[in-house]
Amino acid sequence: MLCEVLKLNDEDITDTTVPHTGLSTSKYYKLLWQILDAQFDSVIIILDEIDLMNDDSLLMKLSRAEEAGKIDCSIGIIAISNKIQYVDNTNERVKSSFQHKELFFKPYDANQLREIMHNRADAFQDDVLSDDVIPLSAAFAAQEHGDARKAIDILRHAGEVAYETGAEKVREEHVRQAQQHAEKDRFRELVNGAPTQAKAALLALTELSVNSDDDAFLTSRVYDQYEQICDHLDMDILSVRRFRDILKEQAFLGVLEIEKINKGSAGGIHLQNRLIEDPQVVRETILEDTRMQNWDDK
């Protein structure tokens, strides 16, 4: 099948110019419907990393446009997300109109990651990588996340560790050190810019995770731990409602997961919180903040 890629708005066809600023959202949507009708009988719209949207209003408008008489063009939507529970958290009306079908793509396995990294080995000088470096990097990445970019990060970090220590070759021990560095770097990117209150909330969940056999905790229990941390660090204690908002924000960033637990008519619905990253790595990263280090001295 021959596919032709067109820019969304061809002014020669639509006689429509879309300014970057100065229009209301409703006007932009009206122009979008006009452009799609003018150029397409049917169109597939691909939304990558859809979980980064603040709400599901865009999905609502796109999935209901034809039914609502806004457009004659048929619209199909491909929504891509790393979070398999994304659709579960959307509005019921969106689920009804979207009528989605889920396709799951497995993470890369070790063999696939090994092949990908072999194609990137030319970033190193010849004979610098020992034979076990790429297989071990691939194994680490496959066990944890199956993410090719993160696997390449491990390989890059291993090279940096070897260079900094003056080694002539990148070896297994450098990969193991790189794995630890990569975990901290990924989390550090998310946490370093977080407000102090968010760090205190994460530290509360971390302390529970480190000191318990459980890995998921009710919000009320995390809040109790958070109060202890704030008391010790002489920080203001936020309301339970604001604390819940902070946990939701961190879940949105992919630092933790929140799961609804239904305990029946008597127990009601509760939220359980679980760290996605290794709790020890999370703890070490948070305590790099000088304000939080006093907690380690308690």
Side-chain angles (χ1 to χ4, degrees), residues 1-127:
M1 180 176 65
L2 179 63
C3 294
E4 183 178 3
V5 178
L6 302 173
K7 64 180 181 179
L8 179 60
N9 182 30
D10 187 333
E11 295 177 17
D12 293 335
I13 296 176
T14 65
D15 291 325
T16 301
T17 301
V18 182
H20 292 291
T21 60
L23 295 181
S24 65
T25 302
S26 60
K27 181 62 175 177
Y28 273 118
Y29 274 113
K30 185 176 180 179
L31 291 176
L32 175 62
W33 308 143
Q34 292 175 0
I35 290 168
L36 292 179
D37 266 341
Q39 296 202 171
F40 305 102
D41 294 322
S42 60
V43 63
I44 296 176
I45 297 176
I46 301 174
L47 303 173
D48 194 9
E49 296 188 345
I50 193 171
D51 47 90
L52 296 181
M53 294 196 306
N54 292 329
D55 56 47
D56 48 22
S57 60
L58 176 60
L59 270 182
M60 171 72 79
K61 292 182 183 298
L62 291 176
S63 61
R64 296 178 64 88
E66 187 176 7
E67 178 185 343
K70 303 286 187 182
I71 192 172
D72 294 324
C73 168
S74 296
I75 297 179
I77 303 169
I78 297 176
I80 303 172
S81 174
N82 287 328
K83 298 182 178 180
I84 61 175
Q85 295 180 329
Y86 170 76
V87 175
D88 295 337
N89 297 322
T90 57
N91 184 288
E92 290 298 327
R93 294 173 63 199
V94 172
K95 293 178 186 177
S96 175
S97 61
F98 194 25
Q99 297 184 16
H100 70 286
K101 178 180 179 181
E102 295 182 346
L103 296 175
F104 294 97
F105 296 91
K106 294 181 179 180
Y108 290 117
D109 61 27
N111 291 330
Q112 292 168 322
L113 290 171
R114 191 181 304 130
E115 183 177 349
I116 291 170
M117 284 191 286
H118 272 301
N119 292 330
R120 299 297 184 93
D122 57 2
F124 294 86
Q125 295 182 6
D126 293 341
D127 300 323

Side-chain angles (χ1 to χ4, degrees), residues 207-215 217 221:
E207 289 297 290
L208 293 174
S209 301
V210 169
N211 296 297
S212 171
D213 293 333
D214 298 326
D215 66 348
F217 305 90
R221 189 173 173 190

Side-chain angles (χ1 to χ4, degrees), residues 198-209 217 221-227 229 243 286 295:
K199 292 179 182 178
L202 287 175
L203 183 58
L205 180 55
T206 300
E207 289 297 290
L208 293 174
S209 301
F217 305 90
R221 189 173 173 190
V222 183
Y223 185 77
D224 289 342
Q225 180 68 49
Y226 160 79
E227 287 184 310
I229 291 172
F243 180 77
I286 293 175
W295 174 253

Side-chain angles (χ1 to χ4, degrees), residues 16 133 168 178 235 264:
T16 301
V133 165
E168 294 183 358
M235 291 172 52

